[in-house]
Amino acid sequence: MAEMLAVVGESGSGKTTSIRNLNPEETFIISTTGKRPGIPGAKKKYPNFKLVDKKPTGNFYVASDVDSISKMLKVINTIMKHIKVVIIDDYQYIMGFEAMDKAEVKSFDKYTQIAQHAYQVLKDAMNMRDDLFVCVLTHSDNQGDKINPYYVIKTQGKMLTNVITLEGLFTYVLFTDVKTNEDGKPMYRFKTNSDGTCTAKTPMGLFDDLYIDNDLNFVINKIREYNGD
């Protein structure tokens, strides 16, 4: 079973740039929107996935439908054994795009289908090989208010929220946080555990601090050290 890690936050809060220090030779990005990470040399580090003479090349794949994503996960799992980290970027658009495509459908069954498809992607990811980290980057939703916020993983409809708590499918849930430093520049951080305003969680003793740098390479190395890998 793969290690499941969620990075949750608003647009522009540092989710995608958190991959900047990962080794591209061991990292594969599945993008629902086609956007490459905003890091130097992204096109060179993450060229498009292709099959050349039935051999896979590249480590960047664009898909937002469950069937295409599931097929790509199987390819990574079985014939791309050099890949150790899978990034699913903008996971919420798996639900969002399908909801827009079915906007004129009046039946409530469409939300059941959307929920099933979104769940299937996570289930397929969970069942990948043990040496893989699957990092799901997705948006947050404030279920509180401005005075008393409470942020969770954003979903479409109520089925995933009411039937399955998505955070429960992840061992590690990090929420993004942006703070201005003394020079007036933004500091992009991860919140490692809940302070009552979100559903962040990590195992006891994994991190000493509530806030850490938004660096997935650092996070994954800490998890490997924690697990004794």
Side-chain angles (χ1 to χ4, degrees):
M1 180 175 286
E3 291 276 14
M4 298 292 291
L5 191 156
V7 176
V8 190
E10 298 178 4
S11 181
S13 62
K15 296 188 301 295
T16 307
T17 54
S18 69
I19 77 163
R20 63 191 180 279
N21 292 325
L22 291 172
N23 180 359
E25 294 182 1
E26 297 182 349
T27 305
F28 195 104
I29 299 175
I30 298 175
S31 172
T32 61
T33 63
K35 295 186 300 180
R36 277 186 172 78
I39 59 175
K43 284 189 176 181
K44 185 176 181 180
K45 293 176 180 177
Y46 295 98
N48 291 336
F49 169 82
K50 295 179 181 179
L51 282 174
V52 179
D53 295 328
K54 297 184 179 181
K55 294 182 180 180
T57 65
N59 55 355
F60 184 82
Y61 182 72
V62 180
S64 60
D65 65 283
V66 62
D67 290 336
S68 297
I69 294 174
S70 293
K71 288 178 182 177
M72 191 69 253
L73 291 175
K74 289 179 181 178
V75 170
I76 296 169
N77 195 51
T78 57
I79 65 174
M80 300 185 76
K81 296 296 180 69
H82 63 287
I83 296 298
K84 303 301 179 185
V85 180
V86 177
I87 305 292
I88 301 178
D89 193 13
D90 280 350
Y91 166 78
Q92 80 285 342
Y93 283 117
I94 297 172
M95 298 172 275
F97 287 154
E98 186 173 359
M100 291 302 294
D101 290 341
K102 296 179 177 179
E104 295 183 359
V105 177
K106 303 303 181 183
S107 172
F108 283 104
D109 289 344
K110 69 180 181 182
Y111 291 108
T112 300
Q113 294 172 356
I114 291 170
Q116 288 174 334
H117 293 160
Y119 170 69
Q120 186 62 49
V121 169
L122 298 182
K123 187 177 179 181
D124 289 343
M126 291 168 60
N127 289 327
M128 295 178 78
R129 49 190 158 85
D130 293 346
D131 64 336
L132 272 170
F133 282 80
V134 178
C135 303
V136 175
L137 281 50
T138 193
H139 284 191
S140 59
D141 182 35
N142 184 6
Q143 293 192 345
D145 53 43
K146 290 184 178 180
I147 298 175
N148 297 297
Y150 188 69
Y151 293 96
V152 300
I153 294 176
K154 186 175 184 178
T155 63
Q156 286 284 334
K158 296 182 179 180
M159 184 174 181
L160 279 177
T161 303
N162 293 342
V163 178
I164 298 174
T165 302
L166 281 185
E167 287 85 348
L169 301 179
F170 297 90
T171 306
Y172 318 90
V173 180
L174 304 171
F175 273 74
T176 58
D177 180 86
V178 185
K179 182 181 180 182
T180 303
N181 64 17
E182 296 177 354
D183 298 326
K185 296 181 179 180
M187 296 172 55
Y188 296 94
R189 310 182 296 177
F190 285 150
K191 185 180 292 187
T192 61
N193 281 289
S194 177
D195 58 358
T197 66
C198 67
T199 53
K201 64 173 185 176
T202 55
M204 183 179 297
L206 177 58
F207 297 107
D208 295 329
D209 300 315
L210 179 62
Y211 294 98
I212 58 174
D213 188 28
N214 72 329
D215 183 346
L216 272 176
N217 189 59
F218 169 77
V219 170
I220 289 172
N221 285 335
K222 287 289 288 184
I223 293 171
R224 286 172 173 156
E225 179 183 338
Y226 183 85
N227 290 341
D229 294 343

